[in-house]
Amino acid sequence: RGRLRRLLWILLTLSAVGLILWQCAELLMNYYSASVSVTVQFQKLPFPAVTICNINPYKYSSMKEYLSELDKETKKALETFYGFSEGKSKVRRSVDEWNSTGSDLFEQIPLLKVEDFFRTATDLHTGQKRKIEGSVFHKDSSIVNSGDSNDIIGFQLCDTNNSSQCALYTFSSGVNAIQEWYKLHYMNIMAQIPLETKEKLSYSADDLLLTCFFDGLSCDKRHFTRFHHPLHGNCYTFNSGENGTVLSTSTGGSEYGLQVVLYIDEADYNPFLVTSTGAKIIVHDQNEYPFIEDIGTEIETAAATSIGMHFTRSRKLSKPYSDCTETGDDIPVENLYNKSYSLQICLHSCFQKAMVDSCGCAQYAQPLPAGAEYCNYKKNPNWMYCYYRLHEKFVKEQLGCQQICKDACSFKEWALTTSIAQWPSTVSEDWMLRVLSWDKGQKLNKKLNKTDLANLMVFYKDLNERFISENPANTLVILLSNFGGQLGLWMSCSVVCVIEIVEVFFIDSLSIVMRRQDVERHGHDNPVCIDEDLPTFNTALRLPLPQDSPLPRTPPPNYSTLRHAFTEQLPDTLELGQH
């Protein structure tokens, strides 16, 4: 029974120790975990930067001399494939180098009408049929289920260094095919136009802005900063902070935000480049680059668009808690945008770097790396084929950009709520258009139409700033407290108990082992130490003395010293002696 009791006690002790070790291992594995806290405070908020672009990047009336051959080929495609014709209108023809370059390019990359289930295609430029070679890439997933290939339009890109390397890009919609083909040639043309010329071809601040109010006060073009976007032309940023001053607001509501009326001028739109009317805006921080093409919000004409904002700041913990970067300095990708790091900046910069390395030139939509130039067919005849193959790898995450680039640890976000109302109303349309036409009359020789106007309001819905932050869920003190709690729960141990356990199992055990090794080394000839147990007090008394030393003995008492101390007999002893 005693052995069974001891065995049960040992099993319970081992189970408790194992459970404690398992709990401690779990605490260590979850040590680098974070807790999320949300703080809301009411205060005066800085107003964000608001970038506004016309959906049409350049005035079509100014661009016709550069796009004459491209427009001619596009109209010919519409007439050939769909029977669409605008009549024999005269197309303005100008600089010969644009025409010759365009003609060569259209011969190399014409629109194709795919037939015989991707085996042959009709060449738009020559009207002849050609055999399709190379890979086929479907730009629309619905094409997979299409049984009729007679409605498929596309274009073929080939490697100029190896004509057998070709790729056919097809679309289930003729609209998508013509627009993609048009944009491809459009970027090739725009890459050859100097920046100063393109800025003049786009919209000025006077062209775009009719009226402006901020926080109940009037504003004008001096409060806007121009920057040129490759795909959207001249854009204008309100409250850019370029002069070192950032506007703020202390009151929420639509009356205390930004209110602008924009002149869109739909009649001067490029009919093949853009198919919608209005403007694009983006709300961002002053240190962020406005990616209009990625996250821009479109506003429509003949309407009042109200955009309410909620401001949120977020802060994540960096390594080892998460895989984010503080400033982007640890990312091996050059920042081409001269703005604070973001995931989009890293991805676009990474693709542009791969474009320069693989194709020998830069893609038109992103900034130029140092020493590079934009791709155009005259200097880089192979860039279109190279660009499409490289972009395909980028989308499939085969370039490594998605693996290299990381999220930023700190960022600001404005959550937008959009509402739209008809503007101007039917009863106020007449007088408002007359007044706006009068204000614009010095530079515009026509009466404004409501489809040329867009009313925009950007404001804070409230002044509650939300701050989302990550904090370490565990510290060294918390870890030791949890460890002590597990010991106290399962073994009723305290710090003193832990110290004693360490002393018994480690210090004493080490001491015993060392003494045993010493006994094994020097004490085998001693008959007392033959036993495995260490010497006790009784056995130590029986240890033999060294032979060279005399036996120690206790000296007898020296009684003579008493005589010297008491030379005379005491009186009381005398009386006792007489009796």
Side-chain angles (χ1 to χ4, degrees), residues 412-479:
K412 299 177 182 179
E413 182 182 10
W414 284 267
L416 307 181
T417 303
T418 304
S419 60
I420 301 175
Q422 181 182 350
W423 180 89
S425 63
T426 305
V427 295
S428 62
E429 175 181 347
D430 184 59
W431 75 265
M432 286 192 65
L433 294 179
R434 286 179 179 271
V435 173
L436 290 175
S437 299
W438 179 269
D439 294 339
K440 191 80 173 175
Q442 297 180 356
K443 300 180 181 179
L444 190 68
N445 296 324
K446 70 173 185 178
K447 181 181 177 181
L448 294 178
N449 192 295
K450 67 178 182 179
T451 57
D452 292 329
L453 305 176
N455 190 0
L456 172 65
M457 291 173 284
V458 182
F459 57 92
Y460 278 114
K461 298 186 72 174
D462 55 53
L463 297 182
N464 293 328
E465 177 185 354
R466 295 159 182 83
F467 179 58
I468 303 175
S469 62
E470 287 185 347
N471 303 299
N474 297 301
T475 60
L476 183 60
V477 175
I478 296 177
L479 181 64

Side-chain angles (χ1 to χ4, degrees), residues 120-337:
T120 61
T122 301
D123 189 333
L124 164 68
H125 193 79
T126 61
Q128 299 177 355
K129 289 189 176 182
R130 63 164 67 176
K131 185 179 180 180
I132 297 178
E133 299 178 354
S135 304
V136 178
F137 297 92
H138 308 294
K139 287 293 186 178
D140 192 331
S141 59
S142 62
I143 192 67
V144 177
N145 300 323
S146 177
D148 186 8
S149 63
N150 294 326
D151 296 330
I152 298 175
I153 307 297
F155 52 87
Q156 189 177 35
L157 299 177
C158 296
D159 189 350
T160 56
N161 300 322
N162 186 359
S163 59
S164 62
Q165 295 291 330
C166 295
L168 176 67
Y169 295 88
T170 60
F171 304 80
S172 60
S173 170
V175 172
N176 295 337
I178 291 176
Q179 275 197 305
E180 187 74 13
W181 179 82
Y182 188 94
K183 289 178 181 179
L184 185 66
H185 294 289
Y186 172 83
M187 288 192 298
N188 182 75
I189 294 173
M190 297 305 298
Q192 304 174 59
I193 303 177
L195 176 60
E196 295 77 9
T197 304
K198 289 187 288 188
E199 290 177 348
K200 295 178 181 178
L201 297 174
S202 188
Y203 297 90
S204 66
D206 291 327
D207 295 331
L208 183 64
L209 303 172
L210 283 180
T211 65
C212 175
F213 283 92
F214 175 73
D215 209 10
L217 302 176
S218 178
C219 54
D220 53 31
K221 65 179 182 180
R222 293 174 295 180
H223 296 86
F224 290 82
T225 304
R226 183 185 69 182
F227 93 99
H228 188 83
H229 192 281
L231 299 180
H232 294 277
N234 291 340
C235 298
Y236 296 90
T237 303
F238 176 80
N239 194 29
S240 65
E242 191 177 63
N243 56 358
T245 303
V246 177
L247 301 175
S248 59
T249 181
S250 57
T251 307
S254 59
E255 296 183 0
Y256 299 96
L258 175 66
Q259 302 181 34
V260 291
V261 176
L262 306 176
Y263 178 59
I264 302 302
D265 194 13
E266 182 183 7
D268 210 8
Y269 267 40
N270 187 327
F272 307 115
L273 184 64
V274 293
T275 55
S276 58
T277 305
K280 262 192 171 184
I281 77 155
I282 181 173
V283 177
H284 58 95
D285 185 66
Q286 282 75 16
N287 295 322
E288 294 179 358
Y289 183 84
F291 286 97
I292 301 288
E293 69 278 16
D294 293 339
I295 55 177
T297 301
E298 294 185 353
I299 61 173
E300 60 182 274
T301 58
T305 304
S306 299
I307 300 179
M309 302 182 297
H310 290 290
F311 179 50
T312 302
R313 288 190 300 117
S314 300
R315 167 77 181 176
K316 296 195 298 183
L317 294 173
S318 58
K319 287 184 177 181
Y321 294 92
S322 65
D323 192 23
C324 67
T325 177
E326 293 285 351
T327 59
D329 294 336
D330 56 331
I331 306 297
V333 176
E334 180 186 2
N335 189 337
L336 301 177
Y337 290 84

Side-chain angles (χ1 to χ4, degrees), residues 61-130:
S61 57
S62 303
M63 288 295 300
K64 281 187 176 181
E65 62 176 301
Y66 301 100
L67 304 177
S68 59
E69 284 295 324
L70 178 58
D71 292 347
K72 179 182 176 181
E73 290 292 325
T74 306
K75 293 176 182 178
K76 183 179 179 181
L78 292 172
E79 185 176 357
T80 302
F81 293 156
Y82 303 102
F84 173 80
S85 177
E86 291 183 337
K88 301 297 180 179
S89 59
K90 294 183 179 181
V91 180
R92 181 179 178 182
R93 311 175 70 93
S94 58
V95 190
D96 293 336
E97 62 174 304
W98 297 108
N99 296 341
S100 60
T101 302
S103 299
D104 295 339
L105 184 58
F106 301 143
E107 292 178 3
Q108 295 292 333
I109 310 175
L111 274 172
L112 302 175
K113 187 174 183 180
V114 182
E115 301 170 350
D116 298 331
F117 296 97
F118 306 104
R119 290 191 293 268
T120 61
T122 301
D123 189 333
L124 164 68
H125 193 79
T126 61
Q128 299 177 355
K129 289 189 176 182
R130 63 164 67 176

